[in-house]
């Protein structure tokens, strides 16, 4: 976890930096508004600690700019001012939490943990799934294996996603037809077999190891083991 500290008072910045590093966080520090904003947008921070009064650009404006482009990046505002007006301004600009200086370090730490946890559980959806060297891009709806982009139809994609989310588990034809086709399995239809064969051609035929395995009498298992 990396935390970006945007704070112009070197003493405060190094106090926060040292405390966070002791707790195992990676840190980066910016000492003014413009460079802080740039770092928040360009570097891969997991959380930003943002002072309100900064040279170059104030914390409210930095916060607004950062939240506009990266709404999923939690921002904790720091300030020596404690009036309600400033708090409201901070929250209006999109700050997630607010801490008044001087503060106790454990208080800062507790709030950081809460924010990181909230963001991790709420907004961090993975945008791809991976089993062995096969990647399923959930945004572009394609599979990638051996550096090759493999186009999939909607049903092929749904079947592969179901396999990958349940890799290592035996899946019966009943499970698959209910979850992927939303129909009750009918022994008269071979739709599952047909689609499994199509997927095999696309993602397994030209590659090793094979990932889709038949378990006779049980169904299929998706695994590289
Ligand atoms: Ca300041």
């Amino acid at each position: 976890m990396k935390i970006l500290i945007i704070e112009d008072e070197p003493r405060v910045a190094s106090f926060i930096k040292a405390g966070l590093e002791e707790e195992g966080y990676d840190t980066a520090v910016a000492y003014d508004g413009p460079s802080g904003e740039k770092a928040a947008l360009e570097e891969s921070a997991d959380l930003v600690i943002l002072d309100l009064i900064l040279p170059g650009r104030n914390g409210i404006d930095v916060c607004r700019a950062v939240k506009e482009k990266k709404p999923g990046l939690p921002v904790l505002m720091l300030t020596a001012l404690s009036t309600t007006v400033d708090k409201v301004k901070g929250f209006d600009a999109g700050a997630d939490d607010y801490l008044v200086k001087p503060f106790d370090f454990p208080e800062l730490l507790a709030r950081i943990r809460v924010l990181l946890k909230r963001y991790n559980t709420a907004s961090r959806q993975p945008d791809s799934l991976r089993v062995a060297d096969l990647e399923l891009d959930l945004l572009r709806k394609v599979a990638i294996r051996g550096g090759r982009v493999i186009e999939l139809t909607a049903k092929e994609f749904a079947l592969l996603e179901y396999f990958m989310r349940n890799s290592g588990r035996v899946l019966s034809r009943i499970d698959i037809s209910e979850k992927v086709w939303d129909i009750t399995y009918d022994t008269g239809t071979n739709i599952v077999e047909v689609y499994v064969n199509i997927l095999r051609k696309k993602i397994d035929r030209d590659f090793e190891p094979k990932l889709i395995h038949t378990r006779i009498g049980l169904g299929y298992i998706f695994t590289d083991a």
Side-chain angles (χ1 to χ4, degrees):
M1 285 288 174
K2 184 170 166 187
I3 297 179
L4 172 65
I5 304 155
I6 309 176
E7 164 64 78
D8 59 314
E9 286 171 66
R11 220 168 31 85
V12 178
S14 60
F15 162 74
I16 298 172
K17 179 180 159 70
L20 290 176
E21 285 178 355
E22 201 167 300
E23 292 294 320
Y25 294 105
D26 286 335
T27 59
V29 182
Y31 296 97
D32 61 60
S35 68
E37 181 180 322
K38 191 167 184 286
L41 293 176
E42 291 174 9
E43 289 178 26
S44 58
D46 297 289
L47 183 143
V48 178
I49 296 174
L50 176 61
D51 189 29
L52 181 62
I53 312 285
L54 291 166
R57 197 163 195 207
N58 71 51
I60 298 284
D61 291 343
V62 172
C63 186
R64 195 170 282 125
V66 168
K67 279 292 187 178
E68 197 181 313
K69 298 214 178 79
K70 283 189 168 179
L73 178 61
V75 175
L76 172 61
M77 295 270 270
L78 292 182
T79 181
L81 308 171
S82 60
T83 63
T84 319
V85 176
D86 285 304
K87 268 189 199 177
V88 169
K89 267 196 214 161
F91 285 123
D92 276 352
D96 297 278
D97 202 357
Y98 204 91
L99 199 55
V100 176
K101 291 196 267 188
F103 53 85
D104 292 329
F105 192 75
E107 173 75 20
L108 175 66
L109 209 52
R111 295 197 187 205
I112 287 171
R113 288 200 181 114
V114 168
L115 281 182
L116 286 175
K117 199 171 168 196
R118 190 200 299 164
Y119 272 82
N120 272 318
T121 48
S123 66
R124 282 271 168 92
Q125 290 282 341
D127 45 23
S128 70
L129 300 173
R130 177 177 287 277
V131 174
D133 64 338
L134 175 69
E135 185 186 345
L136 186 64
D137 186 323
L138 300 173
L139 302 177
R140 292 160 62 207
K141 312 271 185 198
V142 294
I144 300 148
R145 194 167 187 193
R148 265 160 59 184
V149 174
I150 302 163
E151 304 286 343
L152 302 166
T153 65
K155 273 298 166 211
E156 292 160 11
F157 175 85
L159 177 59
L160 183 54
E161 182 181 5
Y162 182 61
F163 270 139
M164 291 180 79
R165 287 193 189 278
N166 293 282
S167 66
R169 282 177 51 192
V170 173
L171 302 170
S172 69
R173 288 171 180 78
I174 296 171
D175 293 334
I176 295 169
S177 55
E178 283 181 1
K179 296 284 164 30
V180 178
W181 276 270
D182 203 19
I183 54 170
T184 308
Y185 185 69
D186 170 359
T187 47
T189 167
N190 63 349
I191 189 164
V192 173
E193 286 87 340
V194 168
Y195 271 86
V196 167
N197 283 334
I198 293 170
L199 260 194
R200 276 192 161 128
K201 284 199 187 108
K202 289 197 169 186
I203 61 137
D204 261 354
R205 191 180 60 190
D206 300 335
F207 303 96
E208 291 295 338
K210 305 303 179 203
L211 298 172
I212 301 172
H213 304 270
T214 304
R215 287 291 162 85
I216 292 164
L218 296 173
Y220 302 94
I221 185 165
F222 194 91
T223 178
D224 63 340

PDB file of all heavy atoms in Angstrom, residues 102-114:
ATOM      1  N   PRO A 102      -3.230  19.931  15.625  1.00  0.00           N
ATOM      2  CA  PRO A 102      -2.386  18.740  15.740  1.00  0.00           C
ATOM      3  C   PRO A 102      -3.228  17.492  16.053  1.00  0.00           C
ATOM      4  O   PRO A 102      -4.231  17.593  16.729  1.00  0.00           O
ATOM      5  CB  PRO A 102      -1.483  19.077  16.924  1.00  0.00           C
ATOM      6  CG  PRO A 102      -2.308  19.998  17.781  1.00  0.00           C
ATOM      7  CD  PRO A 102      -3.187  20.766  16.850  1.00  0.00           C
ATOM      8  N   PHE A 103      -2.783  16.356  15.515  1.00  0.00           N
ATOM      9  CA  PHE A 103      -3.531  15.105  15.738  1.00  0.00           C
ATOM     10  C   PHE A 103      -2.586  14.065  16.317  1.00  0.00           C
ATOM     11  O   PHE A 103      -1.359  14.193  16.212  1.00  0.00           O
ATOM     12  CB  PHE A 103      -4.133  14.607  14.431  1.00  0.00           C
ATOM     13  CG  PHE A 103      -3.107  14.489  13.336  1.00  0.00           C
ATOM     14  CD1 PHE A 103      -2.323  13.341  13.198  1.00  0.00           C
ATOM     15  CD2 PHE A 103      -2.907  15.533  12.432  1.00  0.00           C
ATOM     16  CE1 PHE A 103      -1.380  13.246  12.198  1.00  0.00           C
ATOM     17  CE2 PHE A 103      -1.950  15.437  11.429  1.00  0.00           C
ATOM     18  CZ  PHE A 103      -1.185  14.294  11.317  1.00  0.00           C
ATOM     19  N   ASP A 104      -3.160  13.049  16.927  1.00  0.00           N
ATOM     20  CA  ASP A 104      -2.341  11.932  17.401  1.00  0.00           C
ATOM     21  C   ASP A 104      -2.113  10.977  16.242  1.00  0.00           C
ATOM     22  O   ASP A 104      -3.047  10.695  15.487  1.00  0.00           O
ATOM     23  CB  ASP A 104      -3.060  11.172  18.519  1.00  0.00           C
ATOM     24  CG  ASP A 104      -3.168  12.028  19.772  1.00  0.00           C
ATOM     25  OD1 ASP A 104      -2.265  12.857  19.991  1.00  0.00           O
ATOM     26  OD2 ASP A 104      -4.154  11.869  20.494  1.00  0.00           O
ATOM     27  N   PHE A 105      -0.908  10.459  16.145  1.00  0.00           N
ATOM     28  CA  PHE A 105      -0.623   9.557  15.030  1.00  0.00           C
ATOM     29  C   PHE A 105      -1.556   8.340  14.987  1.00  0.00           C
ATOM     30  O   PHE A 105      -2.031   7.970  13.913  1.00  0.00           O
ATOM     31  CB  PHE A 105       0.844   9.129  15.014  1.00  0.00           C
ATOM     32  CG  PHE A 105       1.205   8.450  13.737  1.00  0.00           C
ATOM     33  CD1 PHE A 105       1.374   9.183  12.568  1.00  0.00           C
ATOM     34  CD2 PHE A 105       1.326   7.076  13.680  1.00  0.00           C
ATOM     35  CE1 PHE A 105       1.654   8.556  11.374  1.00  0.00           C
ATOM     36  CE2 PHE A 105       1.604   6.440  12.490  1.00  0.00           C
ATOM     37  CZ  PHE A 105       1.780   7.184  11.334  1.00  0.00           C
ATOM     38  N   PRO A 106      -1.844   7.701  16.141  1.00  0.00           N
ATOM     39  CA  PRO A 106      -2.758   6.550  16.098  1.00  0.00           C
ATOM     40  C   PRO A 106      -4.130   6.894  15.511  1.00  0.00           C
ATOM     41  O   PRO A 106      -4.757   6.063  14.850  1.00  0.00           O
ATOM     42  CB  PRO A 106      -2.891   6.138  17.573  1.00  0.00           C
ATOM     43  CG  PRO A 106      -1.632   6.621  18.199  1.00  0.00           C
ATOM     44  CD  PRO A 106      -1.289   7.911  17.499  1.00  0.00           C
ATOM     45  N   GLU A 107      -4.563   8.130  15.741  1.00  0.00           N
ATOM     46  CA  GLU A 107      -5.841   8.569  15.166  1.00  0.00           C
ATOM     47  C   GLU A 107      -5.758   8.621  13.633  1.00  0.00           C
ATOM     48  O   GLU A 107      -6.640   8.156  12.924  1.00  0.00           O
ATOM     49  CB  GLU A 107      -6.181   9.960  15.738  1.00  0.00           C
ATOM     50  CG  GLU A 107      -7.387  10.638  15.118  1.00  0.00           C
ATOM     51  CD  GLU A 107      -8.723  10.061  15.573  1.00  0.00           C
ATOM     52  OE1 GLU A 107      -8.737   9.405  16.634  1.00  0.00           O
ATOM     53  OE2 GLU A 107      -9.725  10.245  14.855  1.00  0.00           O
ATOM     54  N   LEU A 108      -4.651   9.165  13.148  1.00  0.00           N
ATOM     55  CA  LEU A 108      -4.436   9.216  11.701  1.00  0.00           C
ATOM     56  C   LEU A 108      -4.410   7.806  11.107  1.00  0.00           C
ATOM     57  O   LEU A 108      -5.058   7.514  10.099  1.00  0.00           O
ATOM     58  CB  LEU A 108      -3.117   9.934  11.386  1.00  0.00           C
ATOM     59  CG  LEU A 108      -2.700   9.969   9.912  1.00  0.00           C
ATOM     60  CD1 LEU A 108      -3.659  10.794   9.076  1.00  0.00           C
ATOM     61  CD2 LEU A 108      -1.274  10.495   9.753  1.00  0.00           C
ATOM     62  N   LEU A 109      -3.689   6.942  11.779  1.00  0.00           N
ATOM     63  CA  LEU A 109      -3.535   5.567  11.322  1.00  0.00           C
ATOM     64  C   LEU A 109      -4.888   4.847  11.263  1.00  0.00           C
ATOM     65  O   LEU A 109      -5.192   4.148  10.290  1.00  0.00           O
ATOM     66  CB  LEU A 109      -2.599   4.850  12.304  1.00  0.00           C
ATOM     67  CG  LEU A 109      -1.767   3.717  11.776  1.00  0.00           C
ATOM     68  CD1 LEU A 109      -0.976   4.113  10.544  1.00  0.00           C
ATOM     69  CD2 LEU A 109      -0.815   3.252  12.883  1.00  0.00           C
ATOM     70  N   ALA A 110      -5.678   5.039  12.303  1.00  0.00           N
ATOM     71  CA  ALA A 110      -6.990   4.388  12.363  1.00  0.00           C
ATOM     72  C   ALA A 110      -7.853   4.843  11.192  1.00  0.00           C
ATOM     73  O   ALA A 110      -8.528   4.038  10.546  1.00  0.00           O
ATOM     74  CB  ALA A 110      -7.678   4.703  13.685  1.00  0.00           C
ATOM     75  N   ARG A 111      -7.813   6.148  10.902  1.00  0.00           N
ATOM     76  CA  ARG A 111      -8.654   6.657   9.807  1.00  0.00           C
ATOM     77  C   ARG A 111      -8.160   6.165   8.451  1.00  0.00           C
ATOM     78  O   ARG A 111      -8.953   5.902   7.547  1.00  0.00           O
ATOM     79  CB  ARG A 111      -8.669   8.168   9.846  1.00  0.00           C
ATOM     80  CG  ARG A 111      -9.337   8.653  11.122  1.00  0.00           C
ATOM     81  CD  ARG A 111      -9.730  10.071  11.002  1.00  0.00           C
ATOM     82  NE  ARG A 111     -10.206  10.578  12.265  1.00  0.00           N
ATOM     83  CZ  ARG A 111     -11.031  11.597  12.359  1.00  0.00           C
ATOM     84  NH1 ARG A 111     -11.451  12.191  11.268  1.00  0.00           N
ATOM     85  NH2 ARG A 111     -11.425  12.021  13.531  1.00  0.00           N
ATOM     86  N   ILE A 112      -6.854   6.054   8.302  1.00  0.00           N
ATOM     87  CA  ILE A 112      -6.286   5.520   7.063  1.00  0.00           C
ATOM     88  C   ILE A 112      -6.760   4.091   6.847  1.00  0.00           C
ATOM     89  O   ILE A 112      -7.192   3.717   5.760  1.00  0.00           O
ATOM     90  CB  ILE A 112      -4.744   5.580   7.103  1.00  0.00           C
ATOM     91  CG1 ILE A 112      -4.284   7.027   6.940  1.00  0.00           C
ATOM     92  CG2 ILE A 112      -4.124   4.690   6.024  1.00  0.00           C
ATOM     93  CD1 ILE A 112      -2.798   7.225   7.171  1.00  0.00           C
ATOM     94  N   ARG A 113      -6.713   3.310   7.913  1.00  0.00           N
ATOM     95  CA  ARG A 113      -7.127   1.901   7.792  1.00  0.00           C
ATOM     96  C   ARG A 113      -8.594   1.786   7.386  1.00  0.00           C
ATOM     97  O   ARG A 113      -8.954   0.965   6.541  1.00  0.00           O
ATOM     98  CB  ARG A 113      -6.894   1.172   9.123  1.00  0.00           C
ATOM     99  CG  ARG A 113      -5.426   0.955   9.392  1.00  0.00           C
ATOM    100  CD  ARG A 113      -5.214  -0.159  10.417  1.00  0.00           C
ATOM    101  NE  ARG A 113      -3.785  -0.335  10.678  1.00  0.00           N
ATOM    102  CZ  ARG A 113      -3.207  -0.075  11.840  1.00  0.00           C
ATOM    103  NH1 ARG A 113      -3.921   0.333  12.873  1.00  0.00           N
ATOM    104  NH2 ARG A 113      -1.908  -0.250  11.988  1.00  0.00           N
ATOM    105  N   VAL A 114      -9.427   2.610   7.995  1.00  0.00           N
ATOM    106  CA  VAL A 114     -10.853   2.576   7.669  1.00  0.00           C
ATOM    107  C   VAL A 114     -11.065   2.920   6.190  1.00  0.00           C
ATOM    108  O   VAL A 114     -11.802   2.232   5.479  1.00  0.00           O
ATOM    109  CB  VAL A 114     -11.645   3.559   8.569  1.00  0.00           C
ATOM    110  CG1 VAL A 114     -13.069   3.750   8.040  1.00  0.00           C
ATOM    111  CG2 VAL A 114     -11.678   3.051  10.008  1.00  0.00           C
TER     112      VAL A 114
END
